[in-house]
Amino acid sequence: MLDREGFRPNVGIILLNQKNQVFWGKRIRTHSWQFPQGGIDRGESPEQAMFRELHEEVGLRPEHVRVVARTRDWLRYEVPDRFIRRDARGHYKGQKQIWYLLQLMGHDWDLNLRATNHPEFDAWRWNDYWVPLDVVVEFKRSVYEMALTELARYLPRHDHRNRYLRSSMRARDGEPHDPRRDASAPQFELPPGGSFEPDPQTNERLGAAAHSNHASS
């Protein structure tokens, strides 16, 4: 289904986790990474197509996500002739897309790349919102940048005051607050299942200092 200019209606999906990281999928049997996307079938609204593609490509249902925002207008990209079937050249130019920003309300284990017999991805990961566009096929990069830029204003804001509330609660419970513990904690978000490994050279220096103090006492 093409419009008069030769563009196929399509939807793109930016899926967020609770840390505002985005789902980043590796196209099956390639080295190219991208967001979920797919065509709008005849008789479908963009939102209906989005939920269908969401299930077909990543296995999620409407109850697993919250719609945060969508782009106001179509975003277009042209496909180079070498990527177009010969019988479609001269008619098909590319895609026009409505992009949706979704937040995952379920869990990582709800994601399923094998929800259908025709998977689009063979691997996935959570990535920072501003994805590395150099791993996106070149003719899609400008649309990705436009979609990410337009939808960035709708990113959910997270309240970081809880860390200070927890600190004050420890003090009220009689646990002394040790500022060195905060200073030694990693100042970055760890991935699920990740662990923080201190610098071994730092540990050696601390151990040597402690040994020296013990010897001199």
Side-chain angles (χ1 to χ4, degrees):
M1 185 175 65
L2 303 178
D3 67 10
R4 294 179 180 179
E5 298 176 333
F7 289 90
R8 184 187 181 197
N10 193 282
V11 291
I13 300 170
I14 300 174
L15 176 66
L16 302 169
N17 65 9
Q18 297 302 317
K19 297 178 181 179
N20 283 350
Q21 296 170 318
V22 295
F23 174 94
W24 201 219
K26 187 176 82 66
R27 286 184 59 83
I28 192 165
R29 294 185 293 274
T30 74
H31 297 289
S32 177
W33 292 73
Q34 69 171 53
F35 293 128
Q37 69 174 67
I40 301 174
D41 291 339
R42 188 177 301 277
E44 276 188 324
S45 69
E47 184 168 303
Q48 289 171 334
M50 178 272 291
F51 281 122
R52 177 178 52 76
E53 291 292 339
L54 183 70
H55 178 256
E56 290 178 0
E57 297 200 358
V58 298
L60 296 179
R61 300 286 187 181
E63 60 267 23
H64 291 133
V65 299
R66 178 174 69 89
V67 179
V68 179
R70 54 158 280 181
T71 54
R72 295 174 58 186
D73 299 312
W74 298 101
L75 304 180
R76 291 173 170 81
Y77 67 81
E78 295 189 9
V79 177
D81 283 346
R82 67 180 182 276
F83 292 100
I84 302 175
R85 297 194 319 268
R86 290 185 179 182
D87 59 343
R89 291 176 185 175
H91 304 284
Y92 174 75
K93 284 190 176 180
Q95 308 273 11
K96 65 176 186 180
Q97 299 178 312
I98 295 292
W99 281 84
Y100 285 86
L101 182 67
L102 308 180
Q103 183 161 41
L104 179 65
M105 306 305 290
H107 304 280
D108 285 12
W109 56 78
D110 293 319
L111 294 159
N112 178 16
L113 303 185
R114 297 294 184 269
T116 71
N117 294 326
H118 304 284
E120 293 288 334
F121 304 115
D122 57 18
W124 70 275
R125 65 174 182 241
W126 293 115
N127 201 90
D128 290 339
Y129 181 80
W130 296 105
V131 293
L133 296 182
D134 58 329
V135 296
V136 179
V137 64
E138 185 176 1
F139 56 85
K140 294 182 181 179
R141 292 176 189 173
S142 62
V143 164
Y144 272 48
E145 186 173 4
M146 287 188 288
L148 289 166
T149 300
E150 180 175 347
L151 296 173
R153 73 185 72 178
Y154 301 106
L155 286 174
R157 295 183 180 181
H158 299 300
D159 191 347
H160 298 287
R161 290 177 296 176
N162 287 341
R163 73 178 68 172
Y164 304 109
L165 292 173
R166 287 196 296 269
S167 176
S168 62
M169 286 174 65
R170 285 198 302 267
R172 286 199 303 269
D173 291 341
E175 179 184 346
H177 177 65
D178 186 354
R180 293 174 299 176
R181 177 169 52 201
D182 294 338
S184 62
Q187 302 301 309
F188 51 83
E189 295 283 356
L190 291 171
S195 61
F196 175 65
E197 298 293 340
D199 182 357
Q201 294 182 354
T202 301
N203 286 346
E204 290 175 3
R205 289 195 298 270
L206 291 174
H211 179 74
S212 175
N213 291 338
H214 178 72
S216 61
S217 61

